[in-house]
């Protein structure tokens, strides 16, 4: 249980440090809901990187389900 709280605290600290850093920070991410990826990003480059990551994750997930 302590590790869960530590992980959540580290996420919030990371977000706070990101907000305090320079204004030229780019971010992006992928949320996998079932087989469907949801991609977001602050710039088109990060969104494209997120799509590539989503495709890799979906392929990896399909490989694991087959085995």
């Amino acid at each position: 249980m302590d590790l869960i709280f530590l992980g959540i605290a580290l996420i919030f600290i990371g977000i706070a440090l990101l907000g305090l850093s320079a204004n030229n920070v780019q971010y992006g991410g992928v949320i996998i809901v079932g087989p469907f990826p949801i991609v977001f990003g602050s710039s088109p480059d990060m969104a494209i990187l997120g799509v590539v990551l989503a495709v890799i994750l979906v392929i990896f997930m399909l490989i694991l389900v087959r085995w």
Side-chain angles (χ1 to χ4, degrees), residues 2-66:
D2 292 336
L3 289 176
I4 293 173
F5 289 122
L6 178 64
I8 293 171
L10 287 175
I11 289 172
F12 281 120
I13 290 170
I15 291 171
L17 289 175
L18 188 63
L20 295 174
S21 65
N23 292 336
N24 198 9
V25 175
Q26 295 181 355
Y27 60 89
V30 177
I31 300 172
I32 303 288
V33 179
F36 305 108
I38 300 170
V39 179
F40 60 92
S42 64
S43 69
D45 292 336
M46 293 305 292
I48 291 171
L49 183 65
V51 168
V52 170
L53 179 64
V55 169
I56 291 170
L57 288 173
V58 168
I59 290 171
F60 185 68
M61 180 179 62
L62 290 174
I63 290 171
L64 286 180
V65 169
R66 289 222 170 227

